[in-house]
Amino acid sequence: MKSIKVLAVVALTTLASFTSQAQSSKTIVENAIGSKDHTTLVAAVKAADLVDVLSSKGPFTVFAPTNEAFAKLPKGTVETLLKSENKAKLQAVLTYHVVAGNLDSKAVVEAIKKGNGSVTLTTVQGGKIVASLSGKNVILTDENGNKSTITAVDITSSNGVIHVIDTVVLPKS
């Protein structure tokens, strides 16, 4: 219960930076478009032709990297992924950040506890992400061992929920 309260506090303090316009009546894509911290993600979703998919009924749980998260990638990575000839790879990276279903922070923490400290989530891309707790933070570990911290939770959309992450997670290449 303490972890859920901490996640709620983090969500409240960080939610304003995601978007002051976030509304449960908007889709995941519409809420992301309203965020100044997710312009790179929005550009990538558009370049990958995933706007319609992520605007569909869902529900989806999206782990949304910030612009700063994309900036942590090696120089030139984002620019290379945005090229039309790399569309399939970009789609794979982006759909690796999406899980089918509506997993709010409470559900994620409960699943971690039921899993004795971690839960493996299957992404829409087909890969796996492991969610675990480190102190009061939910950490995502990708298939390469890279870690990302969820910095804001439960941004409710009409077709799912968004959790903001501080590092891009990547599928095995």
Side-chain angles (χ1 to χ4, degrees), residues 27-30 50-58 60 158-159:
T27 66
I28 288 167
V29 172
E30 290 169 331
L50 291 174
V51 171
D52 289 341
V53 173
L54 292 175
S55 296
S56 67
K57 186 177 179 180
F60 304 107
S158 62
N159 61 340

Side-chain angles (χ1 to χ4, degrees), residues 40-161:
T40 305
L41 177 62
V42 170
V45 167
K46 288 177 179 178
D49 288 331
L50 291 174
V51 171
D52 289 341
V53 173
L54 292 175
S55 296
S56 67
K57 186 177 179 180
F60 304 107
T61 299
V62 175
F63 298 103
T66 61
N67 295 339
E68 288 181 9
F70 280 103
K72 290 180 183 179
L73 293 171
K75 186 176 180 174
T77 301
V78 173
E79 294 78 11
T80 299
L81 284 172
L82 291 174
K83 292 180 180 179
S84 59
E85 63 266 23
N86 295 321
K87 185 193 234 177
K89 185 165 178 112
L90 179 59
Q91 287 174 335
V93 168
L94 293 174
T95 56
Y96 188 71
H97 288 80
V98 181
V99 175
N102 193 350
L103 299 174
D104 64 12
S105 60
K106 183 178 177 182
V108 172
V109 171
E110 285 177 6
I112 291 168
K113 288 180 179 178
K114 283 182 184 175
N116 293 318
S118 69
V119 62
T120 300
L121 305 172
T122 301
T123 69
V124 170
Q125 179 265 356
K128 308 282 188 206
I129 295 176
V130 176
S132 60
L133 288 173
S134 176
K136 299 173 184 175
N137 295 317
V138 174
I139 305 296
L140 302 179
T141 305
D142 68 19
E143 295 172 321
N144 303 298
N146 300 311
K147 296 184 184 303
S148 181
T149 301
I150 297 178
T151 59
V153 297
D154 297 339
I155 299 156
T156 306
S157 302
S158 62
N159 61 340
V161 64

